[in-house]
């Protein structure tokens, strides 16, 4: 069975909700990273066997298979197909996994994977009744930017709580203090700012025409423990989860070019060595990456002792710290050394492509090593990859 290699990975800087990228359609963001990826490699897009893109919302301008429309907007020939996948926050990791499976099964040689999300442009939706032409009445309107809507009443009530409420549950279950969460958030901001200043994101960034960002818009150089500690809890009166120790609502896109061994010229960044997926109860969704990563390592024939770096998506500080507690063999200093989603942002469908891409670029900079990429997913799932170079 052939291996899957990552030949390049590109993303936009991530913009805050209502910020620099709020005026850009998600299909245009997707097209931008698709086009940039093939141009950087000098790849004829007609050689791409499939485009697989993740998108968690799919309720607005991204509602009609954004992978296909992104490819057409990128100028790819109409012979290049595209499919959009949805595993919520893990959608672009899922896209990479599906692309790698196609390559390893022999169904494809080159796959462009990734994801996109414009949480700023996520629309409101109005619920309909069972009647085909109901009176206007007082319909319920839902904001699709984040969170559950139209939940099925058959589900247990505890399973339909918000992700923020779940983050509070994890903080209590694992004894994670407010101070620990704020300290983790501060580290994320400082590490991300230092990484940008040192140029460690330069190789993976494409600027958005008309909305250029010097760096990810959510990074706060001036934040302090005092400033973070002054923020109020959002999900419980006596809680510990705040806007400051949670990932912000964000816009952005990412792309990862996958190829079979020998399908492309040039030295690839890294090889996909293992994959893992795991599900647990939705009310503690954030710890599913623990077992997903353990499974990915086992399938790669590796242990935590072999790991040189970890990219763990920071949905919440409490969730991230709970995962670290589940990996006692792992040195926490190997995790998100260039910052994480609390500072960089979390555009749901694009975040997985960001962490995969950064891990692959970092392995290339180091000249080798083993990386784990892991992400939690609302409704109780986790995904993970092991990359090697």
């Amino acid at each position: 069975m052939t291996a899957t290699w990552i030949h390049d990975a590109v993303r936009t800087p991530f913009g805050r909700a209502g910020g620099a990228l709020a005026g850009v359609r998600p299909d245009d963001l997707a097209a931008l990273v698709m086009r940039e990826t093939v141009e950087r490699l000098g790849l004829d897009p007609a050689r791409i066997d499939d485009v697989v893109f993740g998108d968690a919302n799919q309720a607005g301008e991204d509602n009609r298979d954004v992978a296909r429309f992104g490819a057409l907007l990128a100028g790819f020939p109409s012979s290049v197909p595209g499919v959009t996948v949805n595993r919520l926050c893990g959608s672009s990791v899922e896209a990479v996994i599906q692309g790698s499976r196609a390559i390893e099964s022999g169904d494809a040689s080159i796959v462009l994977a990734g994801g996109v999300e414009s949480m700023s442009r996520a629309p409101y939706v109005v619920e309909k009744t069972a009647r085909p032409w109901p009176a206007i009445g007082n319909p319920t309107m839902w904001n699709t930017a984040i969170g559950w809507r139209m939940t099925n009443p058959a589900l247990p009530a505890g399973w339909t709580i918000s992700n923020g409420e779940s983050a509070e549950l994890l903080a209590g279950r694992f004894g994670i203090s407010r101070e620990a969460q704020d300290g983790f958030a501060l580290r994320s901001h400082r590490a991300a700012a230092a990484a940008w200043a040192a140029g460690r994101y330069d190789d993976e960034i494409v600027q958005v025409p008309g909305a250029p960002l010097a760096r990810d818009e959510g990074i706060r150089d001036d934040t302090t423990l005092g400033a973070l500690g002054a923020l109020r809890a959002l999900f419980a009166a006596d809680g510990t989860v705040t806007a400051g120790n949670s990932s912000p609502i964000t816009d952005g896109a990412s792309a990862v070019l996958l190829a079979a061994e020998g399908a492309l010229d040039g030295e690839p960044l890294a090889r996909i060595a293992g994959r893992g997926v795991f599900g647990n109860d939705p009310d503690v969704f954030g710890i599913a990456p623990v077992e997903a990563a353990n499974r990915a390592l086992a399938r790669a024939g590796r242990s935590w002792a072999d790991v040189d770096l970890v990219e763990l998506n920071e949905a919440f500080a409490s969730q991230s710290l709970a995962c670290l507690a589940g990996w006692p063999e792992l040195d926490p200093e190997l995790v998100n050394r260039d910052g994480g989603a609390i500072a960089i942002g979390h555009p749901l469908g694009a975040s997985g492509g960001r962490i995969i891409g950064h891990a692959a670029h970092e392995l290339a900079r180091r000249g080798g090593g083993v990386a784990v990429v892991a992400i939690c997913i609302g409704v109780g799932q986790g995904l993970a990859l092991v990359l090697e170079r």
Side-chain angles (χ1 to χ4, degrees):
M1 184 171 64
T2 187
T4 300
W5 293 87
I6 296 172
H7 275 259
D8 205 354
V10 174
R11 71 173 178 94
T12 66
F14 287 174
R16 292 185 67 87
L21 302 186
V24 186
R25 291 174 58 110
D27 47 2
D28 287 327
L29 288 173
L32 174 66
V33 294
M34 291 179 190
R35 186 185 308 115
E36 177 70 10
T37 305
V38 299
E39 288 180 353
R40 282 169 41 144
L41 290 171
L43 174 66
D44 178 359
R47 295 185 60 198
I48 297 172
D49 294 300
D50 206 356
V51 174
V52 187
F53 251 54
D55 184 0
N57 195 332
Q58 303 183 45
E61 296 156 335
D62 50 0
N63 76 91
R64 294 281 290 175
D65 190 0
V66 72
R68 173 63 169 170
F69 278 95
L72 293 173
L73 288 164
F76 293 3
S78 59
S79 59
V80 178
V83 61
T84 303
V85 299
N86 189 346
R87 205 191 277 261
L88 301 178
C89 301
S91 294
S92 48
V93 177
E94 178 66 23
V96 170
I97 287 174
Q98 290 195 21
S100 67
R101 287 175 178 156
I103 288 170
E104 291 165 26
S105 69
D107 288 342
S109 294
I110 301 172
V111 175
L112 181 56
V116 65
E117 206 79 48
S118 176
M119 300 177 79
S120 292
R121 299 176 72 85
Y124 291 94
V125 297
V126 177
E127 201 169 10
K128 290 175 66 176
T129 70
R131 293 174 55 196
W133 303 106
I136 295 298
N138 294 296
T140 300
M141 181 177 288
W142 304 81
N143 183 348
T144 68
I146 192 170
W148 288 34
R149 56 247 182 204
M150 305 181 196
T151 53
N152 193 315
L155 288 169
W159 283 8
T160 60
I161 63 174
S162 71
N163 288 349
E165 292 170 308
S166 173
E168 285 285 6
L169 284 180
L170 289 174
R173 176 176 294 188
F174 287 87
I176 301 168
S177 68
R178 169 71 181 270
E179 292 73 21
Q181 293 174 61
D182 289 347
F184 186 89
L186 181 64
R187 175 185 181 268
S188 186
H189 283 281
R190 288 181 173 173
W196 271 98
R200 290 198 293 277
Y201 283 114
D202 292 353
D203 290 345
E204 58 203 75
I205 294 296
V206 55
Q207 290 293 338
V208 181
L213 282 171
R215 64 178 190 178
D216 300 303
E217 199 171 10
I219 302 170
R220 298 186 181 277
D221 301 68
D222 58 349
T223 196
T224 63
L225 282 177
L228 290 166
L231 297 173
R232 67 179 180 86
L234 292 177
F235 304 101
D238 58 348
T240 59
V241 178
T242 71
N245 55 41
S246 307
S247 59
I249 297 172
T250 316
D251 310 323
S254 60
V256 181
L257 199 285
L258 308 173
E261 188 161 4
L264 292 177
D265 295 331
E267 186 177 2
L269 299 176
R271 178 175 68 89
I272 295 177
R275 299 173 291 242
V277 61
F278 185 69
N280 59 6
D281 287 350
D283 58 342
V284 286
F285 80 99
I287 56 171
V290 173
E291 181 58 22
N294 290 342
R295 293 183 178 192
L297 279 168
R299 289 165 185 160
R302 295 286 192 172
S303 70
W304 284 107
D306 300 315
V307 174
D308 299 291
L309 65 118
V310 176
E311 288 291 323
L312 171 66
N313 195 58
E314 299 169 355
F316 299 90
S318 65
Q319 162 267 322
S320 300
L321 290 166
C323 286
L324 295 185
W327 298 317
E329 314 95 316
L330 174 65
D331 179 357
E333 291 302 311
L334 301 181
V335 179
N336 298 353
R337 298 190 70 168
D338 291 334
I342 288 173
I344 293 168
H346 181 20
L348 308 179
S351 288
R354 176 189 77 78
I355 57 178
I356 292 169
H358 190 62
H361 280 287
E362 181 61 23
L363 289 178
R365 274 190 290 271
R366 296 179 180 209
V370 177
V372 169
V373 174
I375 193 165
C376 67
I377 302 166
V379 205
Q381 298 184 87
L383 283 173
L385 291 174
V386 175
L387 308 183
E388 294 182 357
R389 179 183 172 97

